[in-house]
């Protein structure tokens, strides 16, 4: 996990990327999303709007100035799909075992 500070250059991210300020500190944690419509701008999710910078369209520097930032990226979709399949197979096997025990 890379933690970004104001000294770090802005990372190259796609629209929809999430940046979390104060990761793990639920009292201060903020979640920001990279805009698709206003490329280069970041907007807070949830009720953080009352704590946004004075700028109408915050950029990466505004986000990272709020505290240490961690980027959240999605994992490989194939892993999730395989987990779903494996879970369903395990559930089916457990149901069969219970049916055999009852008969």
């Amino acid at each position: 996990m890379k933690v970004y500070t104001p000294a770090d250059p802005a990372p190259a991210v796609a629209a929809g990327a999430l940046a979390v300020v104060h990761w793990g500190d639920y009292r201060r944690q903020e979640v920001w999303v990279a805009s698709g419509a206003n490329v280069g701008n970041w907007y807070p999710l949830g009720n953080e709007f009352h704590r946004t910078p004075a700028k109408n369209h915050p950029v990466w520097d505004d986000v990272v100035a709020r505290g240490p930032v961690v980027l959240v990226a999605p994992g490989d979709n194939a892993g999730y799909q395989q987990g779903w399949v494996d879970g369903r197979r395990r559930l089916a096997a457990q149901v069969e075992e219970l049916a055999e025990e009852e008969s």
Side-chain angles (χ1 to χ4, degrees):
M1 170 172 76
K2 170 134 175 65
V3 178
Y4 293 86
T5 63
D8 296 318
V13 297
L18 296 177
V20 183
V21 180
H22 300 293
W23 173 265
D25 182 354
Y26 72 91
R27 291 178 196 96
R28 297 174 28 190
Q29 186 166 283
E30 301 173 9
V31 180
W32 292 71
V33 64
S35 177
N38 294 328
V39 176
N41 295 117
W42 290 79
Y43 298 99
L45 295 178
N47 63 353
E48 286 93 17
F49 269 106
H50 67 280
R51 295 184 284 170
T52 59
K55 294 172 78 174
N56 289 334
H57 303 287
V59 295
W60 174 255
D61 290 339
D62 298 317
V63 176
V64 77
R66 300 175 71 76
V69 174
V70 172
L71 287 177
V72 180
D76 179 26
N77 200 24
Y80 293 109
Q81 290 174 346
Q82 187 61 49
W84 173 259
V85 170
D86 291 346
R88 297 288 299 242
R89 286 185 183 141
R90 183 166 182 246
L91 177 62
Q94 289 173 333
V95 169
E96 286 180 21
E97 289 173 14
L98 288 173
E100 289 174 5
E101 289 176 9
E102 290 181 359
S103 54

